[in-house]
Amino acid sequence: MAAQQGDVDELFDVKNAYYIGSYQQCINEAQKVKPSTPEKEVERDMFLYRAYVAQRKYAVVMDDIKASSSPELQAVKMFAEYRSNEGKRSEPISVQDCDCKRDAIVAELDKKMAKSVDAANTTFLLMAASIYYHEMNSDAALRTLHQGESLECMAMTIQVLLSLERVDLARKELKKMQEQDEDATLTQLSTAWVNIAVGGEKLQDAYYIFQEMSDKYSPTLLLLNGQAACHMAHNKWEEAEGVLQEALDKDSSHPETLINLIVLTQHLGKAPEVTNRYLSQLKDAHRAHRFLKDYLAKENEFDRLAMQYAPTATV
Amino acid sequence: MMLTKFETKSARVKGLSFHPKRPWILASLHNGVIQLWDYRMCTLIDKFDEHDGPVRGIDFHKQQPLFVSGGDDYKIKVWNYKLRRCLFTLLGHLDYIRTTFFHHEYPWILSASDDQTIRIWNWQSRTCVCVLTGHNHYVMCAQFHPSEDLVVSASLDQTVRVWDISGLRKKNLSPGAVETDVRGISGVDLFGASDAVVKHVLEGHDRGVNWAAFHPTMPLIVSGADDRQVKIWRMNESKAWELDTCRGHYNNVSCAVFHPRQELILSNSEDKSIRVWDMSKRTGVQTFRRDHDRFWVLGAHPNLNLFAAGHDSGMLVFKLERERPAYAVYGNMLYYVKERFLRQLDFNSSKDTAVMQLRSGSKFPVFSMSYNPAENAVLLCTRATNLENSTYDLYSIPKESDSQNPDAPEGKRSSGLTAVWVARNRFAVLDRMHSLLIKNLKNEIVKKVQVPSCEEIFYAGTGSLLLRDADGVTLFDVQQKRSLATVKIAKVKYVVWSADTSHVALLAKHAIMICNRKLESLCNIHENIRVKSGAWDESGVFIYTTSNHIKYALTSGDHGIIRTLDLPIYVTRVRGNSVYCLDRECRPRVLTIDPTEYRFKLALVNRKYEEVLHMVRNAKLVGQSIIAYLQKKGYPEVALHFVKDEKTRFSLALECGNIEVALEAAKALDERGCWERLGEAALLQGHHQVVEMCYQRTKNFDKLTFLYLITGNLAKLRKMMKIAEIRKDMSGHYQGALYLGDVSERVRILKNCGQKSLAYLTAATHGMDEEAEALKETFDPEKETVPEVDLNAQLLQPPPPINPLDTNWPLLTVSKGFFEGAIAAKGKAGQMAADMDVDAPGGEGWGDDAELQLEEDGFMDAQDGLGEEGGAAKEEGGGWEVEEDLDLPPELELSAGAGGGVEDGFFVPPTKGMSPTQLWCNNSQLPVDHVLAGSFETAMRLLHDQVGVVQFGPYKQLFMQTLSRGRTCYLGLPSLPCLRGNPQRNWKDCGAKQGLPAVGLRLSDLIARLQQCYQLTTAGRFEEAVERFRAILLSVPLLVVDNKQEIAEAQQLITICREYIVGLTMETERKKLPKDTLDQQKRLCEMAAYFTHCSLQPVHMVLVLRTALNLFFKLKNFKTAASFARRLLELGPKPEVAQQTRKILAACEKTLTDAHQLNYDPHNPFDLCAASYTPLYRGRPVEKCPLSGACYCPPYKGQVCRVTQVTEIGKDVIGLRVSPLQFR
């Protein structure tokens, strides 16, 4: 049961919109809402800026948050800086340049983490963990999150655990979340992630969670791709097609949608050209996406392995 | 619980009678009036006021439009309600008449009177046929038995009597019986035999008995008396006895009746109550009280679940229980409660099954239902008379159930007014304190929610509820615990959401409100008759029922009747023209409706004019009502195009400003009024040509003249002047002259009409001196004075028009409305369709040799060909669906719990777990599974070992694509890298360890891709075709198939590809070879001949054979050519080809020899070396490709196969593995 039973969370709409990936709505709501306390105001700003980060509007965040802003917002700014230095296009020099800056940010973060950290500043923990997770340093991410107790810390822990293929631990963490507030949006979403990872009968539950949220709020790319992942895990390719088409209509270059379409078109038996088209789109717009990094690595691996074979006789 | 359906206010009601078929009831009043009510429409239909004093007896005839009444004026009157008058009066009783009843079969009326007699009358002969004497006080009631020759009577002498009237029937109605046999009123004939005799006298009441009635089927009688008791009596042939007594009324019992279908008795009394008694238990089940009115009479409807009661100030029509079935619709399924079962109806297949039996224990029927598709669970709410005792049951519906004898699962029962699902694992309960509880699937409370005052809750999509209070409905978010929107509407009873929950219909007793998702009211509909139910059709129209109609409502508020209903129904679903519903007996039914009208209106509202047009053309929808509707709703331009009647057309055209159409119509009508109206309208638009025509038609010379003036049309203006002159219209004539500036004409006019002075002045002023002088001469100086010419006079001269206005006023161009376009285009459409399918088949690759004339059906043949092959292979199939994967319990799957320790606050990060993809490799030996898992190394090894792949280059694309379909992704928290999903083909039962990837490459897809290759082949694009065949061929080892048949098909697919690749590559090669020398030509012929031995589709073989035939004919190898010709003819080519082939064959047969020796022996079977294109006759050593099976001369061993370009010729391998079956 929720701890603060009975009282209405004035930032509910803001948070909810953020978690389901409805960033613009989050921003709109944040600008509308009138927080009752200064703490709430900071919390609101935190979500506001994080929504901007999610929209890749890093400049807004970096310009808006001043040195005098609260430590929570400083953390968001740090994350925004980190994210903004993502290799955007295929310019190798700038990528390297970016990597340098990123490394600097991470080094700075490492230093901060080495000292004692204000565990009450959940935002800092979250932002730090996010950076570590991006850096594929799941150990550090988990260690950081371990210090926090908020639902979101737990949700992120679950996500990291899942990426480590530790469904068993993710389930434990989820149980904790459910004890804290089973009906919270984050708990629901985390349940869905874990259910997808568990598979089997749980897939249906995961699907319902995404679908209910789409029905109730709005079908965001996050929710639609979640639904699509469930459908595909169910081998319901036609159903997935409908959902992904909807997602594609909303944003024609959303990387996860494109990746799922690459999967889907093949399973639907479409001509290879169709699949390639999505792949090209992805290469065009999201060169730094982890999928493509993996993809390129695999291509190299293929070439290397192929060299080990040759015909006995040549013409 | 008693549900009042209708109430009237009037003087005391003493008698009641339901009409057996129509929704009518007669009430006879203490003030002498008889009222005829429609209790469904709640209207008074008629009043009959001829009795003098109270009317107590009243009864409808069952078949004829008659009723009978009896009053305190001693009169029995028979009325015809159609003619609305009393037909005749029967006189004979000597005191008040208490009851009058028709016999259900014979032309008899039974009357009971205070004169202590009961009389039977024949209303056809209008005579009394029998008098029953015996009671020694007022007879308060007498009724016929519904089927036997019996009468029951009740009297203030404290007895109830049963009379046998079989004698009367025999006498009156036996063949040959004549009316005149009945004389007088004695009831005793000449021979002393009585027509009616007392059979039983029932004594037991110790006060006067007011009412007695037979049971409709059982030998029972119920009576009510002033001793405040209701008694039940039983009788048989010989005797009758008191069965039991119902005590409870505390004043005189006025009336008591049996429930026609249930084991119940209803009674009412002067104690101001109606009571319902259980017949078997003799206990009161329900009591209904009024504050001030004593009850006097009861009536039961013969067929329906309806009763009526008359009291001091009116009457009421009521039923004892709700007849509305509890039901819920999800997708194609209807769930409903019938008797003690939850049933499921599949709308598509009409399969109706009982899915479970309900726990018994409540005497109340299920009130409402909420279904949860995710959990296949259901909430059934039961309302008790005392609302606080209401309960609900939570059931999990058994997955499989025997419809004949369904399971009765244990449900969970709790108290609560209403329970509704709010999420897949949560439901909301409105408890008796009217607070809201959220419960989980275990029926445990997880949350209590403070809500605004609320009497009822309804579903409102996930996480939301509609809360109803006294005068409105509130949309409430359960999670956020806050109200989102409120709308005012009194006493909503039902809520119907559209399938996409974008709209909701709120149904109250006499009102419907349609709102959007945000609960903003879109329209309000008032109904005079009760609203019963509704459902949304697929186009977003709300179809609802009232007690006697099916109606529709558009969200725009437009509504209307679709059809009438005899009895109320409860709509469950609407699809197309079918309305699915439950009737009051809870039987699922499908009614057909004509949706044309609302579809039409919907199309109009949505401006889907092509649909409108289609409907108008096909549905013959045009009627005055539709046109009126269109006009009213502001679519005159639409209406215009449906109307043939010129008058309507004309006014519609004017309404939408379409002058052309209006003109057309006006011409057809040619009425003055039309021309006038058209003229006005045209003038407003500056359409002066039409204005001119209108003025001409209406002979409105003045206006016409003025029109010519302002348009500067001097020629016509002059003409008008002439016309005026002819018409002797002096002023018009003068006006014309004035407009034209024609002074001499004016002078002439003035002169002619005797205005000499004016004429003179005009002439003088305008300097027409001669004329002036001449006029001056005519003045008689004696009598007349020549007027003074004003020297300062200014000339009145109209300015000459600079540029006459020939054309109409320019108007802004407006795009033509849909209808103008569509109507104009009508009739042109057909011509376009004809010349579509001219499509020349390509032919570059086939060259001139073949003189090709291919047509499209060649492609079709190829398809058929493959189909047959597939069919032939089927024999081997069947029975191979064994999958024996172990199902591990979920506890086992997650045993490894290393790491993640939280002890002592010291955090140890967990180690990486085993990913599903790693498991895939462990679980499979099929190459594709390894590719999907991303284990290229093992995948390559498998392909190398199984089919001898040594050159992986061409596989790169396939590997990368395959890899990329092995992982889906979904987003976790914002701004974090996404999570990955691993679709598995055995997700249902793989557990955590037995997973295998979803393959995503199907045999059928590959087979389908053959068609494209065939097409390319047909089109002669050989190199492209070869590329595609090869792509298919290389994909085959990456298949996973389930059974032997498919393994065979996969192998067959390889063969097809190989044959084509070999043949087409050879042909391409051949094309490149020189043909200068004889040897070169011979080689060409040989290769052409070998090509005919590739296994190809007939359509291609025809082409190949024709090429070979022509080449060999040219080479004068007539014998071989003839064999090609024969083979060609066997394939049944097209007539032209066949004809030509026959000619060549005839030519060949003249000299059946070969001019040259070639390396080709059609009779000796051979394989073709795919590298050197030489025949390898049987018995010669051959090396084969391990994948494609292509043959090679031994020297090629160890090289890369020409067909696959990836495998090594002659390599020793395990063989193709595409199914787990191949590893057993």
Side-chain angles (χ1 to χ4, degrees), chain A residues 1 12-13 134 159 164 166 168 171 182-183 212 216-217 234-235 260 263 266-267 276 298 303 312-313, chain B residues 424 426 446 462 480 482 894 896 898 911 913 934 961 964-965 967 969 973 975 977 987 1000 1002 1198 1208:
Chain A
M1 249 195 254
F12 177 88
D13 286 330
H134 272 283
Q159 182 163 358
L164 283 175
R166 292 303 298 265
D168 51 338
R171 276 178 150 185
E182 190 178 350
D183 293 329
E212 275 180 4
K216 198 172 162 189
Y217 306 112
H234 263 136
N235 293 194
N260 281 331
V263 179
Q266 298 191 61
H267 282 279
N276 284 336
K298 273 292 172 192
D303 292 341
T312 327
Chain B
R424 104 201 153 277
R426 292 283 184 276
V446 292
T462 305
Q480 298 183 49
R482 66 173 189 188
L894 299 161
T911 52
Q961 275 209 348
S964 69
R965 69 171 178 254
R967 280 159 201 74
C969 59
L973 288 169
S975 300
W987 61 272
R1002 283 179 298 253
E1208 184 181 311

Side-chain angles (χ1 to χ4, degrees), chain A residues 1-2 4-8 12-13 16 18-19 21 23 50 53-54 79 83 130 133-134 139 142-143 146 152 155-156 159 161-169 171-172 182-186 188 191 193 196-201 203 205 208-210 212 215-217 221-222 225-226 229 232-235 237 254-256 259-260 262-263 266-269 272-273 275-276 289-291 294-295 298-299 301-303 305-306 308-315, chain B residues 330 373-375 399 422-426 438 445-448 462-464 477 479-482 501 517 890 893-902 905-907 909-916 934-937 940-941 944 949-953 955-957 959-988 991 998-1002 1005 1009 1012 1028 1197-1200 1202 1208:
Chain A
M1 249 195 254
Q4 64 282 43
Q5 196 187 84
D7 53 28
V8 175
F12 177 88
D13 286 330
N16 192 60
Y18 177 74
Y19 290 134
Y23 306 123
R50 286 173 73 192
V53 171
F79 185 55
R83 291 289 292 150
S130 299
Y133 187 48
H134 272 283
D139 282 6
L142 288 173
R143 203 172 274 131
H146 182 65
E152 193 174 350
M156 202 180 285
Q159 182 163 358
L161 289 171
L162 288 178
S163 67
L164 283 175
E165 313 291 353
R166 292 303 298 265
V167 188
D168 51 338
L169 298 179
R171 276 178 150 185
K172 280 189 189 165
E182 190 178 350
D183 293 329
T185 307
L186 272 178
Q188 291 289 306
T191 312
W193 308 333
I196 292 181
V198 172
E201 286 184 354
L203 288 170
D205 292 346
Y208 282 131
I209 291 172
F210 289 127
E212 275 180 4
D215 279 1
K216 198 172 162 189
Y217 306 112
L221 293 169
L222 185 144
N225 275 294
M232 291 195 278
H234 263 136
N235 293 194
W237 311 105
H254 183 247
E256 280 73 24
I259 294 168
N260 281 331
I262 290 169
V263 179
Q266 298 191 61
H267 282 279
L268 285 172
E273 300 82 68
T275 309
N276 284 336
H289 198 280
R290 203 176 271 183
F291 173 89
D294 292 352
Y295 190 88
K298 273 292 172 192
E299 277 190 328
E301 188 191 336
F302 183 94
D303 292 341
L305 290 167
Q308 299 173 2
Y309 296 87
T312 327
T314 45
V315 183
Chain B
Y330 177 75
E375 298 290 337
K399 280 210 175 100
V422 289
R424 104 201 153 277
N425 54 1
R426 292 283 184 276
I438 306 297
I445 299 175
V446 292
K447 224 189 262 184
K448 280 190 181 175
T462 305
S464 301
D477 187 309
Q479 190 186 351
Q480 298 183 49
K481 302 166 192 158
R482 66 173 189 188
T501 64
R517 185 77 188 85
E893 58 191 48
L894 299 161
S895 50
V902 204
F906 182 71
F907 181 75
T911 52
K912 204 166 169 13
M914 176 86 106
S915 77
S935 176
F936 286 180
E937 191 175 358
M940 283 178 175
R941 198 162 58 238
H944 177 263
V949 178
V950 291
Q951 194 159 285
F952 276 94
Y955 263 114
K956 185 171 177 182
Q957 179 76 8
F959 267 46
M960 293 311 295
Q961 275 209 348
T962 307
L963 174 71
S964 69
R965 69 171 178 254
R967 280 159 201 74
T968 60
C969 59
Y970 55 100
L971 292 150
L973 288 169
S975 300
L976 289 188
C978 59
L979 290 158
R980 312 304 307 263
N982 303 290
Q984 312 202 103
R985 59 177 180 267
N986 54 347
W987 61 272
K988 264 183 202 147
V999 180
L1001 177 68
R1002 283 179 298 253
D1005 290 336
R1009 274 161 68 181
Q1012 211 184 8
R1028 304 235 178 189
K1197 183 175 164 49
Q1199 291 185 12
V1200 169
R1202 306 296 193 273
E1208 184 181 311

